Amino acid sequence: MTTNENTQATTGTGTGTGTPTAPRRALGTTGPAVFPLGLGCMGMSALYGEADRAESIATIHAYLDAAPEGTGALLDTGDFYGMGHNELLISEALRTAPAAAREQALTSVKFGALRTVEGGFTGYDGRPEAVKNFLAYSLQRLGRDHIDIYRIARVDPAVPIEETVGAIAEAVQAGHVRHIGLSEVGADTLRRAAAVAPISDLQIEYSLISRGIEREILPTARELGIGITAYGVLSRGLISGHFTRDRALAPGDFRGMSPRFQGDNLHRNLDLVEALRKVAEGKGVSVAQTAIAWVLSRGEDIVPLVGARRRDRLSEALGAMEVELTAADLSAIEEAVPAGAAAGERYPAAQMAHLDSEH
């Protein structure tokens, strides 16, 4: 079921002083109304080492159960997460969930990444014929007749965004997709895409230590009535309060190549976390809850995606919706983690080059 009401939720005030209490937030002026926290499912299949399949499915079930009926529980995935594994995992979780929970689940799918047998990335394909191909495979793996929000993961530099978005718009007309999203695009691309068809939301990294969207992208999205689904709100665990300086990463863990987790960068970033911990402890909440609550406080048009792979981490994240951040709290958080204080880029150089949002 897709909720089409553009409900103006009161979770946060848009000025950073609100209490997260409302049951849902609207994704822009044309998108669905959803539960204030989405569940990012990538880590259940890829890039963070081995995951427990049974626990992953139990976590999805727990998330669906936590979202009150009618709120729209947003499950975010990509067709290239584990080369289809993640979509199949979500399909199994939905198939085995109670009917009411299954009916309110909303799927947000990224496509376009080209992979190798060894797991490498070789680029992106945004051609209209490729859009139709990717979509057909995703619908089959998910076991659904439509995808609620469909978006290319990164702009294909060889294909005008107008052509890619136009192809998704055709899928909307055909009933295979409900809403069009974008991912990691800059303000100019956002405007060009919105001139072709209604855009529900922009999925982009946004956290206490990744605030680049505040300069131009976020104001542009708000001008155009486009919502934000914010990923990386805990910076891949870096600012969760659980990551330690001596932690050994599993083979294949993306963080082993991430600049913010390397050498002196890691130590400097964890110093920021310790400063944030003092603020969190003063409120009697966890570091993760403080970081998520900060993103929630940025505005009613922002829906954080939490990448919990276990039920205990999910429970902690959900607790962030009960955290009230006062003006004094926000000031203390800003002092602990000033804008631009993070050491290192958010992706390795080769991946940063693919980010339209950084150009």
Side-chain angles (χ1 to χ4, degrees):
M1 177 183 72
T2 298
T3 308
N4 291 315
E5 301 91 341
N6 293 315
T7 303
Q8 291 303 309
T10 56
T11 309
T13 64
T15 60
T17 58
T19 305
T21 56
R24 58 185 179 176
R25 291 183 166 192
L27 283 182
T29 56
T30 65
V34 300
F35 190 58
L37 289 181
L39 182 63
C41 300
M42 180 187 74
M44 298 176 181
S45 298
L47 299 181
Y48 292 112
E50 291 293 326
D52 184 304
R53 186 180 187 86
E55 181 61 22
S56 294
I57 291 173
T59 300
I60 294 174
H61 286 170
Y63 170 68
L64 295 174
D65 186 59
E69 184 176 355
T71 56
L74 189 65
L75 298 173
D76 184 79
T77 184
D79 63 10
F80 50 94
Y81 293 165
M83 279 75 91
H85 178 278
N86 205 234
E87 289 178 321
L88 292 170
L89 182 76
I90 290 172
S91 177
E92 181 178 348
L94 293 178
R95 190 171 62 251
T96 55
R102 183 168 59 251
E103 284 298 309
Q104 75 158 358
L106 302 181
T107 51
S108 170
V109 179
K110 291 179 290 297
F111 70 89
L114 303 176
R115 306 293 303 272
T116 66
V117 173
E118 295 75 22
F121 287 85
T122 60
Y124 297 89
D125 193 343
R127 295 171 301 145
E129 55 267 39
V131 174
K132 295 175 183 178
N133 179 77
F134 288 128
L135 176 59
Y137 279 87
S138 284
L139 290 171
Q140 177 68 25
R141 284 188 292 258
L142 288 167
R144 295 171 75 84
D145 64 4
H146 72 275
I147 290 170
D148 294 285
I149 309 174
Y150 201 51
R151 69 188 88 236
I152 190 165
R154 300 287 187 268
V155 174
D156 180 350
V159 179
I161 193 64
E162 290 87 349
E163 293 185 17
T164 304
V165 168
I168 305 175
E170 290 181 5
V172 172
Q173 289 296 318
H176 303 313
V177 171
R178 296 287 171 82
H179 304 281
I180 304 170
L182 292 168
S183 176
E184 285 288 357
V185 305
D188 178 64
T189 302
L190 200 58
R191 290 185 187 281
R192 289 168 51 200
V196 175
I199 305 298
S200 67
D201 67 305
L202 168 64
Q203 187 173 123
I204 196 163
E205 187 167 356
Y206 188 39
S207 73
L208 271 168
I209 64 171
S210 295
R211 297 178 60 174
I213 72 168
E214 294 175 344
R215 291 189 295 272
E216 185 178 11
I217 295 173
L218 182 55
T220 300
R222 285 175 167 162
E223 175 192 336
L224 298 172
I226 296 171
I228 298 290
T229 41
Y231 76 88
V233 294
L234 296 179
S235 299
R236 300 161 185 84
L238 182 59
I239 59 172
S240 67
H242 302 299
F243 202 92
T244 59
R245 297 176 194 270
D246 59 352
R247 179 171 172 176
L249 296 173
D253 193 315
F254 163 82
R255 292 169 293 190
M257 300 181 295
S258 174
R260 289 182 174 173
F261 288 82
Q262 307 303 312
D264 290 342
N265 286 351
L266 176 62
H267 293 292
R268 289 167 59 190
N269 291 329
L270 289 181
D271 285 344
L272 296 175
V273 175
E274 291 311 305
L276 183 62
R277 192 185 304 276
K278 293 178 181 179
V279 179
E281 289 177 346
K283 292 189 64 64
V285 298
S286 74
V287 175
Q289 288 169 337
T290 304
I292 296 169
W294 182 87
V295 177
L296 281 166
S297 78
R298 296 299 87 195
E300 299 170 8
D301 53 352
I302 298 175
V303 174
L305 299 173
V306 295
R309 302 196 295 173
R310 305 189 329 236
R311 284 169 287 181
D312 59 336
R313 293 287 192 249
L314 173 65
S315 179
E316 179 184 26
L318 292 171
M321 292 192 295
E322 304 303 321
V323 177
E324 178 179 359
L325 296 179
T326 65
D329 294 329
L330 290 164
S331 179
I333 290 170
E334 292 279 352
E335 183 176 350
V337 187
E345 298 285 0
R346 54 196 184 100
Y347 285 102
Q351 294 185 39
M352 287 292 288
H354 285 293
L355 299 178
D356 181 80
S357 55
E358 295 287 339
H359 303 304

